[in-house]
Amino acid sequence: MILPLRITKKDDVPRRQMAAVLVVSIGLALFFSGVVMLFFGLNPIQVFGTIVQGAFGTAMRLEQTMIKAVPLTIASLGILVAFKMKFWNIGGEGQIMMGAFAASWVALYHQGLPAGAMLPLMALASIAAGGVWALIPAIFKAKMGTNETIFTLMMNYIAIKFVMYLQYGPWKDPASQGFPKIPKFPDAALLPDVGGMHAGWVLMLALTGLVFLFMNFTKKGYEIAVVGESLDTARYAGMNIPAIIMTAMFISGGLCGLVGFVQASAIEKTLTWGLSSNYGFTAIITTWLARLNAVTTLFVCLAFAVLLQGADYIQLALHVPAAVAQVVQGIILFFVLGSDFFLRYRVKWIGLARARKEAVQ
Amino acid sequence: MADDVRPDVPAIEMRGISKAFGSAVANRDIDLTVRYGEIHALLGENGAGKSTLMNMLSGIYRPDSGSIFVGGREAVFAAPRDSIKRGIGMIHQHFKLVDVMTAWENIALGSAGGLLLNRKRISQEITELSDRYGLDIKPDRKVYEMSVGEKQTLEILKVLYRGARILIMDEPTAVLTPQEIGKLFAIIRNMKEQGCAIVIITHKLNEVMEVSDRITVLRRGEAIATVETACVEIPSLIEMMVGRRMDLSIKRPPCEGAEELLRVDGVTVTGKDRKSALDGISFTLHSHEILGVAGVAGSGQKELCETIAGLQAAEKGRIFFEGQNILGKSPRDIIRLGIRMGFIPEDRLGMGLVGSMDIVHNIILKEYQGQKGVVLRRGPSAQKAQRIVERLDILTPSIHTPVSRLSGGNIQKVLLGREIDSDPKVLITAYPVRGLDIGASYRIYDLLNEQKAKGVGIIFIGEDLDVLIELCDRILVLSGGCVTGELDGARASKEEVGFLMTGGAA
């Protein structure tokens, strides 16, 4: 096929142009999702209106939006630390599950703990478990150079099936009359409300600040960035590369593990095998969209949560199949991620006649 | 099919060729005519646009504007195979041969014909071509058994076999010893006698004067002039290349009061292919001297530098830095021991610097290990960056510009500036002027001489024998991981160094 275009690489893109490309791509995404909705016989204006209503309309819906933003943001921050090092951690799901498992173990099997110690210990246990789950592929990568992508992906399934086994087996609530569920946490193990919703949002804001400071203002953050750019340069500068890989991955997995704690304690109030709700995977997209900046990550995740909650709501309010909501999400992603191409390359219209002339001998 | 050769029609005529990459203009409105039966040199500094121009001729790039005529007929190349069809063959700097195959297999590979190879016919054709052009190739020899010179001859034979009458050679002498260069020039002259058109891309003036008939000089993407070699002198060629008059002699200030800084004793390093990359290397480096290291590419230069810098594990041997054995110590240990050693690796953006980071963060690379606590302090490094930028006249919008955006010369100055600023006693430099233009190269030589005057011992891994002989106090020659000779820079000749580069035993 002959395209009447010439594509060349761009050197440098000013901030203004970047913002403009982003706005245009979101605009196009909305336009094309509107076309899809028309195709399904829906009124796009009404659907978009309902999405906004669904995300912000009432205090309860707003809370639902925030409930989605919290795990997504924290998981994205975790993914960010690994991605900055070009360690493709796609094991967020598994790290969330292991974090939830460890927090649940503290909550269910140490019920005698004083109320003040219960939540901190659950949080620490979840960080340790998520961190260790991420550390396993990190050790193999650091010592033997294994591929972390496949490794972390496979670790997800082990974690999920392990929790499923607990839920259907040894941890099943004997009082549930055969229904496969794990007992509810004691009250001391439930995350309290702060300002109208569970305290996870405080954690989200604090961690965003911490990760931002860590990546930009500490020696370790600098080392992680250098390792991500070039292993040879890191060696040249005398960095201890295996230690850096392992530290970064422990932090990455620890943050994801903490998501497991928040979801188990505040949302499910117990451990379930569906608890990670794909946040570990969605976080990959949000982190990438935020271009590995912690503060941008917060805003991208908030926007994404609006979309997730709005999509849930239109299913109820308009009886739109879930698929439509997913199509809209997909189109937005397509355009926003695709816009990256226009930031990196310049596309020039040269006309079909000339393109043909160049293509034929 | 290749065009019939008519002597009155130029082999190649390029008219008004322009090509830009992003905002960088590589070629601007270039005219070039190459005749059959001539050796045409395309002369220019790195980045002048020589390779871009020739890549358009060989179908790798397409021009933004302008037209190309081959043998009088217009040609539009969409891919390299179109260019081959019109009788143009390009020989790249990096050979494109399959190591485990024989010469004739490499020639047969990818050439036209049926599914089955007629071995006998191909061998016969190869022999005919070899005889005609005076090429010395054994068809059954495997590529990995060949020397660099033989591989290049095979590349030439390969394009001739595919019917090329127009040959483009990109920096063909870069990897050859002086003796091999002599042989290559004989082959090229022979091809010229047979009516071929030959274009040589180069920046080496002596070779241009020796072998070419006409010269086209490019500067910053523009064709400055095309001249008859017989009617031109080197100084005016330099002026055309650089844009101003320049004295191209390199200073070698005499060294005084030398004490031993570094002693390398019997160092053996096993390479990735289990062969010895370094085989019992021994030498000393003194203060106030530049020790040149010559050798064909891949003779152990990289391993030597990296072993001294602590980046490469060694099998045997010792390396004494002022009496202390540092072999087996990592770069981290070396920094902690307070050993003042600077290293400018061959791959600047891949090893010495972080391309996406700014000058300040690249200065921090060597500083942060000494900082206490967990917080990264940028202040002192920013001041240092500013000082280095001013001292070395680095052209950059600011100290916060990513180094990958700077020109090659300025990138090298950032690296050299950082290493010099840490006040080293020993400075290891691997190909420090590779890819730099003439002005920047001479600035680097001056900076190295300044360090030498201060008492620094410098190891200079080089590829240009003229530079090595003019700049260095002593020259160590490597061949296949062994030291084959040590010469006094002031008395060494190119032929002598070249002889030692090939092992010295022939």
Side-chain angles (χ1 to χ4, degrees), chain A residues 6 8-13 84 215-227 229-240 244 346 348 350 354-355 357-361, chain B residues 20-23 62-65 76 78 82 86 306 311 331-332 335 343 345 349-354 356-357 361 364-366 368-369 371-376 378 405 415 418-419:
Chain A
R6 173 175 293 128
T8 46
K9 219 164 168 166
K10 262 188 205 177
D11 319 318
D12 195 7
V13 184
K84 191 77 187 177
M215 292 311 296
N216 295 293
F217 294 96
T218 66
K219 282 155 75 175
K220 210 34 118 192
Y222 174 71
E223 288 186 322
I224 290 172
V226 172
V227 169
E229 281 296 326
S230 159
L231 285 175
D232 275 337
T233 305
R235 268 186 340 123
Y236 168 87
M239 294 181 182
N240 184 349
I244 295 166
R346 173 172 292 118
K348 195 177 144 202
I350 55 169
R354 174 130 194 235
K357 190 184 154 204
E358 286 187 1
V360 294
Q361 148 62 326
Chain B
F21 298 99
S23 57
R62 272 190 262 166
D64 292 344
S65 62
V76 181
D82 301 333
R86 297 291 297 265
E306 295 191 357
L311 290 159
R332 198 180 169 76
I335 293 169
F343 176 29
L349 288 179
M351 185 177 253
L353 299 168
V354 183
S356 66
M357 291 186 180
H361 283 85
I364 292 177
L365 200 62
K366 275 288 177 86
Y368 86 97
Q369 300 259 24
Q371 296 180 358
K372 289 203 172 62
V374 291
V375 177
L376 190 69
R378 294 184 172 86
R405 295 251 180 89
L415 184 50
R418 182 186 72 198
E419 297 302 297

Side-chain angles (χ1 to χ4, degrees), chain A residues 97-131:
Chain A
M97 291 313 288
M98 292 316 279
F101 154 71
S104 306
W105 176 72
V106 173
L108 295 171
Y109 292 87
H110 301 80
Q111 301 212 2
L113 281 170
M118 180 59 105
L119 286 171
L121 277 176
M122 286 168 68
L124 285 178
S126 69
I127 292 171

